[in-house]
Every structure is written in C-alpha cells, then in structure tokens.
Amino acid sequence: MHWDKEFIQLLGIQYPLIQAPMFGVSTVDMAVAATQAGCLGSLALADIDADAAVQVIRATRKLTDKPFAVDLFVHRIPEVTPELVRKYGEVKAFLETFAAQHSIEVVIPELSAFKINEYHSLVDVAIEEKCKIVSFTFGNLDETSIARLKAVGCILIGTCTSVREAKILEKSGIDLICVQGIEAGGHRGSFVDEEIPQIGGFSLLSQLYDTVDVPLIYAGGLSNGRTILAAQVLGAKGFQIGSLLCASAESSLKYFEKQRLISAKEGDVILTKSFSGRYARGIKNTFTDAIDDSGYILPYPYQNKITGVLRAVAKRNEKVDFLNLWMGQSLPRFSERSTADILKELLADVERYRGYKI
C-alpha cells in the first residue's frame, strides 16, 4: 500500500503528513520545518485579528515557497446579554480569589475590555493573501465564505467528530474532511451536538469511509508508523500529526512546559472545559481540578479570554499547574529535535512497517 497520489498532488506535497495547526504551540518555524520534510505545514490563525494574520502568512512566505495551510476557528460568538455580564463578574471574582490563594497576582479586566474576533475577516485575509489551502474547526463556514474561497481556487478542509458533522461538511462542498478522533489532543472540533461525540477515532474513520465520498484526513493518536498505516487501511488519505510535535525545537512551549509533557503518565490526560469553555484534551492539573466542576465556566471564547489573563501570569512565573498543556491519549515519545526530523523519522517508521504480515 502506497500513498494516495491524487491526495498528494491536490495539496502539492510529497508526503501526506500534515502538521496540526495547534494554536499556542505551532509556529511559523514549525510550519516551515514541516514543508522542509515534504509535508504540509499549517498556520494556526485561530481567531487572531486580520493584521496579525497577514504578518504571520507573509513571514511564512519569506521562509518557504512550498504549500502550507491556514487554519481558522469558525465559531459562533455568544451575544453579550445581561446574564453573560453577570456570570462574567462571578467567574472573574472566583478566578482572582483562586489565583491569590495560589500566590498568583492577577487583575482580570472587565468583559468590555476584550476584543472578540469573528472569522469573516480572516476569510478576507486568506483571499487577499492568495492562500491556497484553508482549514477550519469548531463549525462550518457559511455558504458565502465557501463560495468566495472556492472562486479563487482555495482547497477547503473541514473538521468533524461525528458522521452527522461529516455529512454537513460534504453537503457544503468542503474538499477534504479531517476526522478528529476522541484520542486527539487539543480542542474538540465538534459543532453539531451539545455534548461532544464519544466515538473512538478509528471507529469513526471506518464509518465515514463507508458514508461520505470526500477524501479523509485522520487526526488522533498517530504517533508511529503502525498507527499511520492502520489509519490508512481504514480509509484515511492524509494524516495529521499534533502531539508528537509539541516538544519540538519549533514549538512555542517553554522548556518547563515541554518537560511536563514529557513526564506525563497514564491518567494525566483528560477532557476539560476549564480553560476555554470548549472541550479540549490535555494534562490534568491544579487548575482543571478546581474549575471543571466549579460552575465557573463561561461559553467560548469568553472563558478562553478570561483565563488567558491568569495563564499569561502563570507562564511568566513558570507555574505549570495553571497552564493548558494539550496532548492526546497516546502519550507519544516526545522529541525536542526539529519538526522536520521528527516527521522524517515518522515517515521512515511507516516504511519499516509497509508489507508487514500480520
């Protein structure tokens, strides 16, 4: 079994490995290093403002002429109601008291101080900057945005966590679908059901292969050649690599954060809404223990904004028990080498197992 040539040619890459767009972890240098390995690099634009997005895209283009994707957070922004303002005040007071109890001095601003960016301005940036590959998560692009991006030749990659979500993406004309297994680190891309689907990644991938006609990219638990080949057998054309790269030389994580990832053991990794208001998989710590069942969680992106202030102070003071460290269930063998070297070794591992007889 070899790589799918049509998939590789569509994206203009040599190998169908995709560096996951991990906002807060992946960097311009990580995306560039992935392209140097013949894979697809990704820029996690998330919900940053348009000017910052332009700078990131142009900085990447200065370092590589190879294809890379830009990734957007396509989420609904909750209306600021009196109830939300009241709840924000309660969460603010709780977090400030909680921080003080742990010797973290932080003053959290009022809700009105935060700027909330919606994704349409980033669609404009993707078009103006002639980005050829646009991926997204937390929802589906609106019809107008899909039409505009397709009109200029963009390849669109949506994220699903269920059969229902995949069908919605396919019906909308999305070119490729990233199937996010429950094993995957970071935020869940769920956008249909109020409670996130609990189906295992390989079970979901197998079902989708029999359900939709859109080429599938798999994300979740891919940490060696065997897992990649297993995903390929189940129908994946592309393979998104995330946790394995979190401790790489190009990761934005600090040394003390990387060491916490490296030391993680079974039972350390959980799903939590405490940091952002959306479910994400990462390391359990003092913060998640205190917040998850406290009732002091705002809807995304307001929880993400309010805890971000505390996290910034905690990071400066190297208080790892108050930081979000996302990683998947596989507890991969982390490496602090270059992203390019990690991906090349992963590709070599795939080749070692090709033709393996079970």
Side-chain angles (χ1 to χ4, degrees), residues 125 161 224-225 264-265 294:
V125 168
T161 62
N224 53 43
K265 297 178 176 60
S294 68

Side-chain angles (χ1 to χ4, degrees), residues 19-20 22 25 30 241-248 251 339 342-343:
Q19 167 248 316
M22 301 173 285
V25 176
M30 184 182 286
I241 312 300
S243 296
L244 195 64
L245 304 177
C246 284
S248 68
S251 165
T339 292
I342 294 170
L343 292 175

